[in-house]
Amino acid sequence: MELANANPVVLNPSDLPTRKQHTISQGADGKNASIFTYSVPVNSTDPFFQSASSEASDSDDEYEAEAIDEQEIYDLVATMSDPEHPITLGALAVVSLPDISIRPTIPNRPESPLKTVTVLVTPTIQHCSLATVIGLGVRVRLEESLPARFRVDVKIKEGTHTTADEVNKQLADKERVAAALWNPTLQSFIKKMLETCE
Amino acid sequence: MASNSNPLDNTPSLRPHTTLHSPTPNTRAWSSRAHPSSAAPLLATAASDKSVHVWDMRDWRLLSTISGGHKRSVRCVGWKDYGRRTKRTRTDTDAGTVGAQEEGQREGQQDPVILATGSFDANCGLWVWNTNNSASEPSQQQVQTVPGSFDEDTDTAEQDFTHTHTPNEADENEEWHFSTLLTGPDSEIKDLQFSPPHYGANLLATCSRDKSVWVWEEVEAEEWETVAVLGEHTGDVKCLGWCGGARTTRAGLRRRLRRRWGEGDADADVDAGGGDEEEKEEEIVLGGRELLASGSYDDTIRLHHDDEAEGDWITIAVMTGHEGTVWDLRFEGHVNLASYPDGTSEEEVIADWEPRLVSCSDDLTVRVWRKELSEKERGEKRMRIAEAKRGQERAGAANGEAAPLQTGFASSRLPSVIRPPTSTEKWVEEASLPGVHVRTIYALDWSAKTGLIVTCGGDGLIAVYRESAASASSAAEDVVMNGTAEHNEQDQDAGDIKKLKTEWRVVAAMEAAHDEYEINHVCWAPVRDQRRQLDAGEVVDSSDRDDEEYIVSTGDEGDVKVWRLPREVLGQIRQDL
């Protein structure tokens, strides 16, 4: 198979932001979503200005009182690898911390536990044919790892891809995403992307 | 809308009736549908565990699980509707309920219960309920589950219903026997629907990600042929709806018109006599015609019909207002009288009324569409209405107060039948419902019984909307519509009905209806509970129950929830029934 981008720019892993010691990954099956329910106190009212250091991990209650922030989302997806290269999405700068945001899903219901995670994906080159697969992998990774109260929006970062609207529409379509996961070819692609995640 | 206040703050909530837990928890369920007849009080749920769960609506137990057929998620289900009307008197009590069921069973005795299932495996299956096995009282029934293999990797363990499961091999002990496999579409089946019972043919429509809509016809019992493949959409086809029209009676319309115009003292008489009268009277179907709507990932809605001149199915209208995937749509099946002015007779309503269409989308809007009449159609309609009016006057002179039924042309030429549409139609957006959803609106239903619309979406909200006469200020600008937008005042003649403005309001809502999960489907369902069970929870007066419908919602966690409308809403809609 011909590579869409044979010579991607690769960042030094030590330059990447991380806080991997306490990922909230619950295993690939995502069946433990009930760990985070309505009763979990959300100790962050403004997730946008939360400094990473303020959240020192306490391994005893890592499933309880901890809010999920952008860094955690980043750690979940940055460790995935490109389907073409054995290089992580973080190292390829396909995902980056500033392009991840978490907002309340229902703006005029601040007390609602629903949160929308938006991840903007930057394909390695403008016409990268694998943009959809990468986006799908990111969406699946987050949906399987995050509690059910999170809504996941994965989009192509504006101006970084020639068919961004088309790709975005597919990635936003729950039914197409669900159907794609029955496709053995796509399944193996995603499995490969997840191989580098712990 | 005020900036920070939530429009739903003062909206009454739905009342939870029961929750049906999926036998395979945390597995997404896609949609649920109730059988239309009281002879088969069944609710089917399509689930991503490749199976269909069937619930008994009398006691809400899981009756059976149909699995082993589809190889991927079951996305949609549909029941064949024979259109038997169970006759219920408006004053019925416990005894009346039993009577209604017996009536249904006697009438429906010959009608097999047929379920269609559409799956991501690109196939559509038809299943027949084995009534020999299932006709016993619910208390004596065994929950019989047909176990299937849920292991994707062991294909051999799965029953492949193309080979191992022919109709002749039906197991007598099975609750559901597999009847027919419909194959042809290239990819996931996204929706399906049987045609309404009064159509000339038994049709089934299916749609798929391959951008096509297929129409199948049952040419002989359990033998289906493809009659059309419509490929005009440029994206997945997400939803389908047949135009079934509104089933009503003249007496029923007359009673509602009187009530609407506050002839309240007549109410008791009308009700007491009305029941009998409505019993005796033949059902009429207004605005029902062989017309299929499809909504798509290409953001459009298309209308299709079997064109006699062309000798084939063709697309006759395209609606392009939505700015996102059209996820669901439904034709109107209830004659809303809110827009008819004082003094409108039932014959005028019959001559005038045409069903509208409602759709919901990824663009977070819910839109109501209506057909804009051509000059010719407008003229024809005006003649019909004028004639209905004249008939009314003649009879009024001859007969005193009572409204006539057999006068004029109304009884002979009126459209209780399917009228062939002209080859192209123009449909325009009539209204946009209040915007209360903040995530994709996945499904909606328009009640044929009450005219209420219900929607659900990824934000976990269920909202119920009601159309009523506009408030005094906006009603001052009455509009002449008669089915056309740019209607000139001077055109008014005897054939025009000066329609009143209406508006849609959210009358009930349920936030976080499935806790933090997305809601994939919502629909109206008839009340079939065994009476003692309903009474155990609360005292329900019989008329309350008779008029009621449930809302059934299906969520990502796999649960199906059954809801009742708030009491105040039941009170409001009773006058529309």
Side-chain angles (χ1 to χ4, degrees), chain A residues 109 169 174-176 179, chain B residues 75 236 238 299 511 520:
Chain A
R109 278 276 183 267
K169 187 159 188 168
K174 169 191 199 166
E175 191 178 44
R176 288 181 77 125
Chain B
R75 175 67 179 90
D236 315 22
K238 296 288 195 189
D299 305 353
E511 295 176 71
N520 295 318

Side-chain angles (χ1 to χ4, degrees), chain B residues 172-233:
Chain B
E172 285 306 311
N173 295 318
E174 264 181 354
E175 280 192 12
W176 294 90
H177 96 82
F178 167 65
S179 151
T180 310
L181 179 72
L182 304 179
T183 60
D186 289 333
S187 54
E188 300 90 303
I189 301 291
K190 305 243 160 143
D191 198 8
L192 56 79
Q193 198 173 59
F194 283 103
S195 61
H198 54 271
Y199 276 23
N202 282 332
L203 304 174
L204 174 71
T206 63
C207 62
S208 164
R209 183 169 62 85
D210 68 6
K211 306 171 188 174
S212 72
V213 174
W214 288 53
V215 182
W216 315 77
E217 181 178 352
E218 191 176 25
V219 287
E220 273 174 59
E222 300 192 29
E223 205 178 309
W224 293 80
E225 280 179 4
T226 308
V227 294
V229 178
L230 300 156
E232 298 199 352
H233 279 295

